[in-house]
Amino acid sequence: MQKTTLKSYFPILSWAGEYNRDVLFSDLLAALIVTIMLIPQSLAYALLAGLPPQMGLYASMLPLVAYGIFGTSRTLSVGPVAVVSLMTASAIGHIASAGSVSYIEAALLLAFLSGVFLLGMGLLRMGFLANFLSHPVIAGFITASGIIIAFSQLKYILGINAHGENLFALLHSLYASVANTNFYTVAVGLPTLIFLFWVRSGLKPLLVRTGLSDKAAAMLAKTGPVLGIIATSYAAYYFDLGSKGVVLVGEVPTGLPSFQMPKLGHDAWRELMLSAVFISIIGFVESVSVGHTLAAKRRQRIVPNQELIGLGAANIAASFSGGYPVTGGFARSVVNFDAGAVTPAAGMFTAVGIAAAAMYFTPYLAYLPKATLAATIIVAVLSLVDFYILKKSWAYARSDFIAVVTTLVVTLIMGVETGVACGVFASLALHLYKTSVPHMAVVGEVPGTEHYRNINRHKVITHNHILSLRIDESLYFANAGFIEDKVYELVDACSDIQHVIIMCTAVNEIDLSALEVLESINLRLKDSGIKLHLSEVKGPVMDVLAHTEFIKHLSGQVFLSHHLGIQKILAKQKSADTQKVQDWNI
């Protein structure tokens, strides 16, 4: 029992014992490819978060090791991501000026708070809470965030000063400063942007035509941002673009991060608490979504509650090693998967690669134009923008469409934190709306079978004195009143009804409010000479009802199947009619 418990909390014990040379080779190859991809991404996302570039590298080291120990996905790659970086900047941007000591301390504290929140949720087995954020709401939020991120990076492409936490503030600021555009910066940023867009679709076919395999060409195409970094850094050095107004990354400290406790006494910890919750939820939902998708392709599985612990450990590790909030990234996780990663050790090897880069290659980043990093971010985040969800949700369900549009518009107008809050509210409101007005159908017998279907959809057999009603939802406080009114409405519409049978195939729970409504329905129907019956009640629901006064005072019966109930009522009615005829003959 103890061994099983240890493996459940330390998934590394499940795969480390089976590690061999072939797996090592696969993990090392995947780590090499992801490292090449992750270096420019880490630098760029740190820029997006308003932090020194080395913090992006720091956030890609120890967190990967921590996740490798505690995480359950074999191929998820943890580190800085665009949306979380934007949320980090939004959370601490009004606390201190970007890049200042206080700003960096707040970022470390934010990572720590996020880690503690995630860890706590994992230990309490509360991963189910993430289900309250529906996919349409997440899609709307990520699409809006992608648009905001892309516009926020235009200032680096144009070489101007602009700011704003929402789309309209950004557009106004960009418009006010566009006259100060630095054309040397544009000459660097715009070609890089075009090149990176071309790389996403054009480099792979070109490499295939040279004789490379499809898979090898796809892997090499991911190194496009590195080529952009090398080319623009050399151009900045050779042409002395820094003296011409092109903003460069500048000197990046060489070496590994120092390990120190986050400043828990930071003045803004209360303000950061809510932001940490939002960042944790969004990061967890994104990470689990990617993890499930990749695991399913190899018939593996991830454990959401343990993922909370893994991501919590990764964020705490980031806070102690000079990083900022991290989560599982979609793009690099897919690259990690396609490159052949077999175990989380690939992420640990990637951490070693990033550490080597921090120790030996950071001096070469001094001439890297920020416009290049901005172009990298723009190309990455525009792949997150999904306007198709609007068409899809409109065609499928108007309520989902409203949730998507609401989240998208609020995020664009009011910023990411308000957008997340709105998304959570929209998800809960959508759930309550759908369950508070449940689908209810009058059903009848499909001829020649024991199945009962909606009378408005099928040709079925019904009986004037029996109302068969199916409720397609659990009964709870939010829909109890609606169900009561619907039952009375149907009963009042037909004066011949003597029996009402509620078909409970879709009822998974009946709370106290709904139970009181059932008692009221039973009493009112009884006073009207109508018997109330239940059919096909699930075992757990019946276990609860068995101990209530409702069952003791139920005017009718509880039938194992709806068909059996109908047959018993008809048989009893036939017997009663026969008795009446006999009495009359006497």
Side-chain angles (χ1 to χ4, degrees), residues 164-296:
E165 292 187 359
N166 58 67
L167 181 60
F168 293 101
L170 280 169
L171 290 175
H172 180 269
S173 184
L174 287 168
Y175 178 77
S177 304
V178 72
N180 300 321
T181 298
N182 183 294
F183 291 100
Y184 288 102
T185 302
V186 174
V188 173
L190 187 58
T192 304
L193 189 62
I194 295 172
F195 169 74
L196 292 178
F197 272 119
W198 172 79
V199 161
R200 294 181 72 89
S201 58
L203 183 57
K204 178 185 172 182
L206 182 64
L207 293 173
V208 170
R209 285 197 294 270
T210 64
L212 286 176
S213 67
D214 188 76
K215 183 175 181 179
M219 291 297 103
L220 283 176
K222 303 295 183 182
T223 64
V226 176
L227 299 177
I229 285 177
I230 294 172
T232 54
S233 296
Y234 178 77
Y237 169 77
Y238 186 81
F239 295 106
D240 193 20
L241 295 180
S243 64
K244 296 177 175 62
V246 177
V247 180
L248 307 177
V249 168
E251 184 178 352
V252 177
T254 299
L256 300 177
S258 58
F259 296 93
Q260 56 184 358
M261 184 83 173
K263 189 178 179 181
L264 301 181
H266 196 286
D267 295 337
W269 73 269
R270 289 184 180 85
E271 298 176 55
L272 294 175
M273 185 64 73
L274 184 59
S275 298
V277 172
F278 286 151
I279 288 173
S280 300
I281 293 175
I282 292 296
F284 173 64
V285 170
E286 180 179 354
S287 181
V288 167
S289 176
V290 176
H292 273 307
T293 301
L294 297 181

